[in-house]
Amino acid sequence: HQTQDSQVYWAVACGSSRKEITKHWEWLENNLLQTLSIFDNEEDITTFVKGKIHGIIAEENKNEQPQSEEDPGKFKEAELKMRKQFGMPEVEKLVNYYSCSYWKGRVPRQGWLYLTVNHLCFYSFLLGKEVTLVIQWVDVTQLEKNATLLFPECIKVSTRDSELYFSMFLNINETFKLMEQLANIAMRQLLDNESFLQDKSLPKPRKPLKNISALKRDLDARAKNECYRATFRLPKDECLDGHTDCTLWTPFNKMHIPGQMFVSNNYICFASKAEEACHLIIPLREVTIVEKADSSSVLPSPLSISTKSKMTFFFANLKDRDFLVQRISDFLQRTPSKKPCSIEREWKWNLADPGCESDAPYSVSPLAVSPTSALSNRPVNFCAGEVPTASQGLLKLFRRNSEELLGPKGAKEKMKEESWNIHFSEYGRGMCMYRTAKTRGLVQKGIPESLRGELWLLFSGAWNEMVTHPGYYADLVEKSMGKYNLATEEIERDLHRSMPEHPAFQNELGIAALRRVLTAYAFRNPTIGYCQAMNIVTSVLLLYCNEEEAFWLLVALCERMLPDYYNTRVVGALVDQGIFEELTREYLPQLSEKMQDLGVISTISLSWFLTLFLSVMPFESAVVIVDCFFYEGIKFILQVSLAILDANMEKLLQCCDEGEAMTILGRYLDNVVNRQSISPPIPHLHALLTSGDDPPLEIDIFELIKTSYEKFSNLKADDIEQMRFKQRLKVIQSLEDTAKKSVVRAVSSDIGFSIEELEELYVVFKAKYLMSCYWGNNRAAAARRDQSLPYLEQYRIDMEQFKELFISLTPWSCGAHTPVLAGRLFRLLDENRDSLINFKEFVTGMSGMYHGDLTEKLKVLYKLHLPPALNPEETESALEATSYFTEDVTTEGNATLLPLPLSLGRSCSINPCAMIVILCKAWSHGGSVLRLPDKGTSPQDYRYYLRMWAKEKESKKETIKDLPKMSQEQFIELCKTLYNMFSEDPVEQELYHAIATVASLLLRIGEVGKKFSNRPMRKSEDCKTNNTQDPVSEEESPTSEQSQNSAVEQQPQADHEDKTCGDAQPEKTQQENQTLGDGSGEGQGSPLQLLSDDETKDDMSMSSYSMVSTGSLQCEDIADDTVLVGCEGSSSAARYGSTIDTDWSISFEQILASMLTETALVNYFEKKVNILQKIKDQKKVERQFSSSSDYELSSVSG
């Protein structure tokens, strides 16, 4: 539509076909044109038409997507446009879209960037040039936001193959943050198969948000939740409800500290704007009173919160106090009330009372200090009375009498305890303690041994999880005891390697406690199970905590503080190793290059980070590192590592190799001492490295910690999280590349494909697997993969996914029959019958079709038509074809005999081409030619075949003699496959004639083989049947002999069999006259079908004449050359069906020999096909898929 004075056209409707255009025009006539006549000017008409069309679009969108009502209308339009433009299915959700420029070379292309859950898409159409990009997030290797002279303030997206630059964003920070989140979700999917699930429980916004989708709100909420949980060390399921600016009255310094209050389901938290000023965590389970206090000029809008521990917190300057109080009250009502014997307890650990009171359900009375008396008490335990449960820190049970307790070290320890007691009185004790810079200062000076367990639990957040899950650990121990798996085997192997130098682990009490904690965690988190280094860390936790506390500390460590550290690929440690390398480049540039050349960082960092220095430093010193780690997190480990490198910089710069550098660092760490420790020194198993006669220089651990804070304390937790994301992309993609190389190397020796071809196939195979994670919610392959399996087993696809790959990659395209062939190959490859195949099985099947000589390719094709590849059901659909033949009659023996239109005996002369068309094309009319024998006989046959396959599997090299023979039904299936395979081939006419000739010959060879296998038992019947030979059969005998003789000339290998066949055919019995047709008469000894010449012609016209549709044969060929058997019978002229004899069979050698006589067949199977081109074509095709088709993965294109 266009007005006269305007240059703007408005598109009202568009259509690509005459039918569509007519439909649209009729709609316009009925709904618009009549109404337009009432308007006076064209501007009113334009306004009306625009409003009408927009209303229709809005209504249509509303009907199509009722589930996303929260999304604004403009956003829905963009989502529909995205799906149409990039061919995305409806399950692929748009998160947000941005206007930006894509730099193609030095030319910016202005367009729209669409960020979906699984893809980054860009579309531009400018000056007649179109640019379309589709990138999977799982393929992104790097995301950077930078500014250069060429690209001002741009986002760089790197994949393995390309680097893409986007710029000119209205809000580049928001876009980059969202891209990071989506890429991080994709990396999580690669790491542990966690697919993205939208949170449907998000509260609706109080005000409508313009052009922000529900998914975008979901992702924003996730980012805030993660930051909130990390800041306050809260459980993983805690969700932030909201936050607001306020001030907190701090009684210890009589000040109002500005900051933010955070409210979630179970906690109220406060963080000051000044980083170290004050942090506060108030669990709602502790809250007793929430009330609004009177406002004053000093305290405007105050809020008072009281707790069970008699502490009261005053918040002021709250903007929406009434709403906040209501939210807190709602959450308090949902907080479960605690039982009287609550696990919450006051801490009573001090030197005077070495015991620890515990209200845990499984706890025991405090044990005596002596380990011997502890063992003799025999308290209640988990291990069926074998060993007692450690109900308190093992260090208290196994502390040897030390003179240090009475000396200066003991006095120093008491001073530390007193300092902490003063701190508790001023700042509070327990979870509601004010955490300030003074708290951190006390931690840096070392936590007293009597308070270590308590403070580790508080600072790590493990205490919160323990008190909210009473009895959880006891239940886990009960369920896991006595069960064995790979994790428990590894745990048993490492139990006695866990601090064997400490007396606590030189007896069964300590070992049993360690076993229970590690086993319980392995059952809680099977994804991690058990990883080496967990035993060392857990043994230290058990020294200061009871079993349940140690368990929850381990949970906090593995799942929150050191994420992904202890999985099978130690991804988290590798990520932090990358951060360490990056920080070394930034803070120690002189040393960085040298360390990279020596390759030292990758060696040292894993042992330092995984065990928190416990395995490389004397125990008394390393435990101080653990103190600071539980307070500061990974930031502290990184800064101490930098301090260690800095202290040894001069020596490291002079190193010549990695061994020398490791020696220097090992010697340094061995001599880090804790002169304040009251425990007797524990022999350090790390080899003490010395050089010459110089005594080693001791380094005080507290001096090392002080130095690390002085030089590297400007590390920020937020910066480290940002660096973790960047390194996670790099590490996971590097691991994926390693996995690909490992898999390709493992299979390359047995497969005919080149390394390049295998790598491309692996990419396609993995993409197909990931597709099920994106869009195939119910597929078995999308189940969580086991990371403990070898790389080869981690990605597996199901039959539907295999069919999709087979159809696009196979060199044997069979038209509509291709999915059937794919299903058979899948069953053949799926040896363990779990309905999934791995990459090796996949490329084995592909290689059989692409590589090897004619014999090898035919072997694959032959196996596809034998059990287990061939389903019994595939040959049992004959009943549907009865309409093409004469009606069936039931005879004695309760066998249903279906009449057949032609017989293959001596009495029949059949054109080979016509015969194979009859055999194969009958399938296209809904019928089958043959059926399996009685159910009573088929299982025995299949067991025989399975035994044959088992023997074949055991043998090192399969020969053609090892292959079982093929039955008549299976042979017909093979003929059908070959017929479909040659369709649309450039030389299909030659191939059709060749296969018809070969099939005719093989059918007769099978007849001869059956006769010789049964000849002794049927000798007496031969004479009788010879005297009753049908006249028509006798007339046709010379023709059959001539046809057979010509076949004998073509195939010398079967010469002996064919001559014998020529002599024997006149003596064939009715039983031996095997006929092919629609059905499946069962049993033997059935009479021949009695047909008149007219009936024969009618049957022929139905069963074969109408089936010649491809032009491979002329209709008159069949009519002229095919002579059917007409048998005269009694006046009743009853028609009887014939049966298929299970004695008929053909061997692979006979099929191979027959195939070799036809040049067209030999050329077809020896033709080379480039699989790389097939893969390339597949990617092009996948770019064109629509939302109505099977969902495929897109690839980068431009």
Side-chain angles (χ1 to χ4, degrees):
H1 179 75
Q2 182 188 29
T3 57
Q4 290 182 353
D5 300 332
S6 174
Q7 299 295 318
V8 178
Y9 285 88
W10 294 98
V12 177
C14 61
S16 56
S17 65
R18 184 182 181 87
K19 182 180 178 182
E20 193 176 1
I21 293 168
T22 305
K23 181 182 176 183
H24 288 168
W25 185 251
E26 288 175 353
W27 187 93
L28 290 171
E29 284 183 333
N30 297 330
N31 295 276
L32 278 180
L33 295 182
Q34 295 175 0
T35 312
L36 296 183
S37 59
I38 66 174
F39 293 103
D40 297 331
N41 57 57
E42 291 191 0
E43 289 185 4
D44 292 343
I45 293 175
T46 303
T47 305
F48 173 75
V49 172
K50 284 168 58 180
K52 183 81 172 176
I53 299 299
H54 280 301
I56 293 168
I57 291 172
E59 188 65 28
E60 187 72 19
N61 291 347
K62 184 178 179 182
N63 294 335
E64 283 186 6
Q65 291 187 321
Q67 73 279 7
S68 54
E69 293 175 353
E70 296 178 25
D71 292 343
K74 192 173 179 182
F75 185 86
K76 291 180 186 176
E77 288 182 32
E79 187 168 43
L80 289 173
K81 189 185 293 183
M82 177 274 297
R83 289 202 186 118
K84 184 176 180 182
Q85 188 66 53
F86 302 103
M88 296 290 176
E90 287 192 13
V91 289
E92 182 68 357
K93 300 294 185 184
L94 178 65
V95 180
N96 215 348
Y97 61 101
Y98 302 93
S99 172
C100 70
S101 291
Y102 162 61
W103 291 80
K104 193 168 185 180
R106 296 194 175 187
V107 181
R109 301 293 178 90
Q110 186 67 27
W112 289 94
L113 181 71
Y114 297 90
L115 304 181
T116 73
V117 172
N118 300 303
H119 297 86
L120 177 152
C121 308
F122 177 82
Y123 179 76
S124 171
F125 186 82
L126 198 63
L127 301 175
K129 291 188 177 181
E130 186 180 51
V131 176
T132 303
L133 293 172
V134 178
I135 302 168
Q136 301 172 52
W137 288 118
V138 290
D139 290 334
V140 173
T141 56
Q142 194 173 10
L143 274 177
E144 286 184 296
K145 182 179 66 175
N146 49 28
T148 63
L149 291 174
L150 184 60
F151 305 118
E153 200 176 29
C154 67
I155 294 175
K156 175 184 170 185
V157 181
S158 302
T159 66
R160 291 177 178 84
D161 308 317
S162 59
E163 292 182 350
L164 311 173
Y165 292 87
F166 300 93
S167 66
M168 301 185 186
F169 291 94
L170 290 174
N171 190 340
I172 191 169
N173 292 328
E174 178 194 327
T175 310
F176 185 70
K177 186 178 177 183
L178 180 57
M179 292 168 79
E180 279 189 328
Q181 274 186 282
L182 293 169
N184 213 20
I185 289 170
M187 292 306 104
R188 179 59 55 187
Q189 188 178 56
L190 283 178
L191 182 61
D192 55 17
N193 210 33
E194 279 187 11
S195 57
F196 177 82
L197 293 174
Q198 184 179 352
D199 185 1
K200 302 289 186 182
S201 62
L202 277 179
K204 291 187 177 182
R206 297 170 69 185
K207 296 178 182 179
L209 299 173
K210 187 178 179 182
N211 294 337
I212 296 181
S213 67
L215 261 179
K216 177 69 167 61
R217 289 178 50 233
D218 182 6
L219 286 170
D220 289 344
R222 285 173 189 238
K224 290 179 180 178
N225 286 336
E226 287 172 9
C227 182
Y228 171 61
R229 290 191 293 260
T231 303
F232 299 103
R233 307 272 170 82
L234 300 177
K236 292 182 75 173
D237 56 353
E238 194 65 22
C239 294
L240 178 65
D241 184 69
H243 57 89
T244 183
D245 291 335
C246 67
T247 58
L248 172 67
W249 169 256
T250 50
F252 51 86
N253 58 2
K254 308 291 189 294
M255 288 178 64
H256 292 284
I257 298 180
Q260 281 192 317
M261 176 195 281
F262 301 84
V263 179
S264 60
N265 303 4
N266 301 294
Y267 298 90
I268 299 171
C269 301
F270 175 85
S272 59
K273 290 184 178 177
E275 187 178 356
E276 289 297 327
C278 183
H279 272 210
L280 179 66
I281 302 169
I282 308 172
L284 291 182
R285 63 178 182 270
E286 287 282 306
V287 173
T288 55
I289 300 172
V290 177
E291 59 182 353
K292 293 181 282 187
D294 295 333
S295 295
S296 66
S297 57
V298 181
L299 280 176
S301 303
L303 179 67
S304 168
I305 299 177
S306 302
T307 67
K308 296 175 182 175
S309 55
K310 305 296 187 289
M311 293 182 72
T312 302
F313 304 94
F314 287 99
F315 298 91
N317 294 288
L318 293 162
K319 292 180 181 176
D320 199 347
R321 183 176 62 166
D322 293 341
F323 176 76
L324 182 64
V325 170
Q326 184 60 48
R327 292 300 293 165
I328 295 174
S329 300
D330 292 343
F331 289 132
L332 279 171
Q333 288 176 1
R334 297 177 207 164
T335 304
S337 58
K338 293 294 171 185
K339 298 176 183 178
C341 54
S342 168
I343 194 170
E344 296 270 7
R345 65 182 187 270
E346 292 295 323
W347 296 94
K348 299 181 181 179
W349 288 356
N350 51 56
L351 286 176
D353 178 16
C356 168
E357 295 182 9
S358 172
D359 297 327
Y362 61 88
S363 64
V364 299
S365 56
L367 302 179
V369 175
S370 167
T372 54
S373 62
L375 285 169
S376 62
N377 283 347
R378 308 298 295 173
V380 180
N381 60 79
F382 296 119
C383 242
E386 292 179 7
V387 290
T389 301
S391 62
Q392 54 186 329
L394 293 174
L395 199 62
K396 295 174 182 174
L397 301 179
F398 293 93
R399 177 183 290 147
R400 291 170 290 185
N401 294 326
S402 173
E403 297 177 1
E404 305 292 349
L405 290 174
L406 305 175
K409 288 185 179 181
K412 182 75 174 176
E413 185 78 359
K414 287 184 179 180
M415 287 175 62
K416 283 185 186 179
E417 288 180 12
E418 189 58 33
S419 298
W420 275 100
N421 287 330
I422 294 170
H423 185 273
F424 290 149
S425 64
E426 291 183 9
Y427 295 85
R429 187 170 187 172
M431 191 53 66
C432 299
M433 175 173 61
Y434 293 98
R435 304 173 194 208
T436 66
K438 186 176 179 183
T439 313
R440 188 181 72 176
L442 285 175
V443 172
Q444 289 173 26
K445 294 175 183 176
I447 298 175
E449 286 190 357
S450 59
L451 296 173
R452 193 160 266 147
E454 170 188 353
L455 294 175
W456 282 0
L457 284 164
L458 292 179
F459 295 148
S460 67
W463 179 250
N464 286 320
E465 291 183 282
M466 186 172 75
V467 297
T468 53
H469 295 85
Y472 177 85
Y473 173 70
D475 292 341
L476 262 185
V477 171
E478 189 176 347
K479 291 175 185 174
S480 62
M481 277 300 149
K483 295 183 180 177
Y484 299 96
N485 54 29
L486 181 62
T488 57
E489 288 179 15
E490 293 177 345
I491 290 169
E492 287 299 325
R493 188 172 62 243
D494 286 349
L495 282 176
H496 295 278
R497 302 176 189 171
S498 308
M499 295 190 68
E501 66 276 13
H502 197 286
F505 298 99
Q506 293 171 357
N507 67 84
E508 190 54 30
L509 177 64
I511 294 295
L514 183 60
R515 178 188 292 115
R516 283 190 291 270
V517 173
L518 291 173
T519 305
Y521 186 78
F523 275 79
R524 167 187 165 87
N525 192 342
T527 306
I528 292 177
Y530 170 76
C531 174
Q532 282 189 334
M534 286 172 68
N535 60 318
I536 296 172
V537 175
T538 308
S539 59
V540 174
L541 300 179
L542 279 167
L543 290 177
Y544 298 99
C545 308
N546 67 35
E547 282 184 35
E548 185 182 23
E549 293 162 352
F551 170 80
W552 286 111
L553 275 171
L554 186 62
V555 169
L557 204 68
C558 296
E559 297 175 14
R560 289 189 286 106
M561 301 190 72
L562 297 176
D564 305 320
Y565 258 61
Y566 299 103
N567 57 27
T568 51
R569 297 190 282 182
V570 292
V571 172
L574 293 172
V575 167
D576 287 346
Q577 174 186 301
I579 295 174
F580 185 41
E581 291 178 4
E582 197 173 331
L583 292 173
T584 305
R585 282 194 295 273
E586 181 180 346
Y587 289 98
L588 306 171
Q590 290 177 297
L591 188 59
S592 174
E593 189 175 343
K594 181 73 174 180
M595 297 293 280
Q596 289 295 329
D597 293 340
L598 296 176
V600 173
I601 287 186
S602 59
T603 307
I604 59 175
S605 54
L606 283 182
S607 60
W608 292 3
F609 296 167
L610 278 170
T611 64
L612 304 175
F613 288 94
L614 288 165
S615 64
V616 294
M617 198 180 278
F619 169 75
E620 300 83 5
S621 304
V623 79
V624 182
I625 300 278
V626 178
D627 291 341
C628 297
F629 165 75
F630 277 123
Y631 189 80
E632 296 274 14
I634 192 62
K635 164 182 173 290
F636 177 76
I637 299 294
L638 290 168
Q639 73 183 37
V640 165
S641 302
L642 288 171
I644 292 169
L645 291 186
D646 183 52
N648 292 278
M649 184 184 294
E650 291 183 8
K651 295 179 181 177
L652 290 171
L653 287 172
Q654 297 171 6
C655 289
C656 301
D657 55 39
E658 180 186 4
E660 188 178 353
M662 293 297 294
T663 302
I664 289 170
L665 292 171
R667 183 186 305 123
Y668 179 88
L669 290 170
D670 272 338
N671 291 289
V672 175
V673 297
N674 180 1
R675 298 188 180 95
Q676 299 177 13
S677 174
I678 59 169
S679 298
I682 298 171
H684 187 38
L685 291 187
H686 195 278
L688 199 61
L689 302 165
T690 58
S691 58
D693 299 327
D694 297 333
L697 181 65
E698 290 188 344
I699 303 97
D700 185 75
I701 181 63
F702 298 105
E703 285 298 319
L704 177 62
I705 290 172
K706 182 180 177 183
T707 303
S708 75
Y709 274 102
E710 288 173 353
K711 292 189 176 182
F712 308 107
S713 62
N714 55 349
L715 286 177
K716 305 295 181 191
D718 293 343
D719 295 338
I720 290 173
E721 283 305 313
Q722 184 70 26
M723 294 165 77
R724 268 182 168 173
F725 162 75
K726 180 181 174 183
Q727 291 298 329
R728 192 178 292 118
L729 277 182
K730 191 183 296 183
V731 167
I732 293 179
Q733 296 293 13
S734 174
L735 287 171
E736 290 296 311
D737 290 340
T738 303
K740 179 172 73 174
K741 290 175 183 175
S742 174
V743 169
V744 167
R745 189 167 56 247
V747 303
S748 59
S749 58
D750 306 325
I751 305 296
F753 290 116
S754 66
I755 296 294
E756 182 187 4
E757 289 170 336
L758 284 171
E759 287 183 348
E760 287 295 322
L761 282 169
Y762 182 83
V763 170
V764 172
F765 183 86
K766 176 179 154 188
K768 187 61 64 178
Y769 166 82
L770 290 174
M771 183 198 73
S772 68
C773 301
Y774 293 165
W775 303 323
N777 296 330
N778 297 321
R779 284 183 169 162
R784 183 177 298 276
R785 71 180 191 270
D786 188 352
Q787 295 280 354
S788 64
L789 291 174
Y791 287 135
L792 192 60
E793 293 285 342
Q794 288 191 11
Y795 293 123
R796 296 183 294 170
I797 59 175
D798 61 17
M799 183 180 286
E800 290 306 311
Q801 294 168 308
F802 177 78
K803 283 182 179 179
E804 292 164 9
L805 284 178
F806 182 89
I807 290 168
S808 59
L809 298 178
T810 180
W812 296 344
S813 181
C814 301
H817 191 62
T818 308
V820 177
L821 200 64
R824 290 177 188 166
L825 182 57
F826 183 88
R827 287 190 290 272
L828 181 65
L829 298 173
D830 183 21
E831 294 181 359
N832 60 357
R833 301 290 173 266
D834 63 350
S835 300
L836 296 170
I837 62 169
N838 61 30
F839 179 68
K840 183 173 184 179
E841 292 165 337
F842 169 71
V843 292
T844 300
M846 287 287 127
S847 181
M849 295 184 289
Y850 274 94
H851 295 284
D853 54 15
L854 173 69
T855 305
E856 292 300 317
K857 291 178 179 177
L858 285 178
K859 267 171 64 177
V860 173
L861 198 58
Y862 185 84
K863 289 179 183 178
L864 292 181
H865 297 83
L866 295 173
L870 187 70
N871 257 347
E873 293 80 7
E874 291 182 315
T875 56
E876 288 184 344
S877 57
L879 292 177
E880 295 178 10
T882 55
S883 59
Y884 294 111
F885 307 107
T886 53
E887 61 186 12
D888 56 334
V889 180
T890 303
T891 61
E892 58 183 346
N894 295 325
T896 302
L897 306 179
L898 299 180
L900 304 171
L902 53 101
S903 89
L904 301 177
R906 173 75 179 86
S907 58
C908 176
S909 174
I910 302 175
N911 181 302
C913 298
M915 179 178 67
I916 194 62
V917 172
I918 292 167
L919 295 179
C920 296
K921 291 297 287 183
W923 284 86
S924 65
H925 290 265
S928 64
V929 183
L930 297 170
R931 199 186 78 167
L932 282 175
D934 257 338
K935 290 182 179 177
T937 60
S938 57
Q940 184 176 359
D941 295 335
Y942 293 141
R943 284 195 295 273
Y944 166 75
Y945 289 139
L946 289 171
R947 284 197 299 271
M948 292 292 291
W949 280 98
K951 288 179 183 177
E952 175 187 326
K953 187 178 178 182
E954 290 172 6
S955 60
K956 290 183 179 179
K957 190 170 182 180
E958 178 186 71
T959 65
I960 58 176
K961 293 184 181 297
D962 297 326
L963 294 170
K965 288 190 174 184
M966 184 174 275
S967 70
Q968 209 167 44
E969 297 99 324
Q970 294 157 358
F971 177 70
I972 296 304
E973 282 294 324
L974 176 61
C975 291
K976 175 187 172 186
T977 299
L978 289 168
Y979 179 85
N980 283 283
M981 193 182 293
F982 302 146
S983 176
E984 299 181 8
D985 193 274
V987 292
E988 65 175 334
Q989 297 295 323
E990 295 176 37
L991 290 167
Y992 284 151
H993 283 278
I995 195 59
T997 303
V998 169
S1000 176
L1001 176 62
L1002 288 168
L1003 284 165
R1004 286 198 295 273
I1005 290 173
E1007 287 293 320
V1008 174
K1010 182 194 70 174
K1011 171 162 181 62
F1012 278 94
S1013 65
N1014 295 328
R1015 188 166 188 173
M1017 59 191 301
R1018 296 183 180 176
K1019 199 168 184 180
S1020 60
E1021 294 183 14
D1022 289 345
C1023 298
K1024 188 194 296 185
T1025 54
N1026 191 31
N1027 295 332
T1028 59
Q1029 195 64 247
D1030 185 79
V1032 180
S1033 299
E1034 289 173 0
E1035 288 176 10
E1036 293 299 325
S1037 294
T1039 311
S1040 296
E1041 286 173 356
Q1042 290 170 10
S1043 174
Q1044 186 166 335
N1045 288 337
S1046 66
V1048 172
E1049 291 171 5
Q1050 292 177 11
Q1051 185 178 351
Q1053 295 96 323
D1055 185 61
H1056 172 70
E1057 295 177 0
D1058 285 357
K1059 285 179 182 175
T1060 310
C1061 180
D1063 296 333
Q1065 277 192 356
E1067 301 175 3
K1068 280 193 177 288
T1069 64
Q1070 292 175 1
Q1071 288 177 327
E1072 291 159 347
N1073 259 323
Q1074 296 302 308
T1075 58
L1076 296 176
D1078 64 340
S1080 13
E1082 300 172 4
Q1084 296 186 2
S1086 305
L1088 283 172
Q1089 180 182 0
L1090 305 177
L1091 294 173
S1092 67
D1093 290 343
D1094 293 339
E1095 289 165 342
T1096 300
K1097 289 178 183 176
D1098 291 341
D1099 282 346
M1100 197 59 212
S1101 65
M1102 287 295 291
S1103 63
S1104 63
Y1105 221 75
S1106 60
M1107 297 176 190
V1108 185
S1109 58
T1110 63
S1112 61
L1113 292 173
Q1114 299 299 321
C1115 295
E1116 49 269 23
D1117 289 343
I1118 301 175
D1120 293 340
D1121 299 338
T1122 305
V1123 181
L1124 301 177
V1125 182
C1127 298
E1128 297 178 1
S1130 61
S1131 58
S1132 63
R1135 296 171 186 158
Y1136 296 94
S1138 180
T1139 62
I1140 292 170
D1141 198 333
T1142 55
D1143 291 336
W1144 191 100
S1145 63
I1146 201 84
S1147 69
F1148 176 73
E1149 296 99 313
Q1150 291 165 329
I1151 292 177
L1152 175 62
S1154 303
M1155 290 276 200
L1156 288 171
T1157 63
E1158 294 293 334
T1159 307
L1161 295 176
V1162 173
N1163 291 341
Y1164 179 86
F1165 283 104
E1166 290 190 342
K1167 178 173 60 179
K1168 298 292 182 185
V1169 182
N1170 185 359
I1171 195 168
L1172 291 177
Q1173 186 60 43
K1174 285 263 187 186
I1175 294 172
K1176 190 176 179 182
D1177 294 342
Q1178 182 222 21
K1179 290 180 179 178
K1180 287 180 181 177
V1181 170
E1182 286 181 338
R1183 277 289 298 113
Q1184 306 301 324
F1185 69 84
S1186 65
S1187 58
S1188 61
S1189 67
D1190 288 337
Y1191 305 139
E1192 302 286 346
L1193 286 181
S1194 303
S1195 60
V1196 179
S1197 66

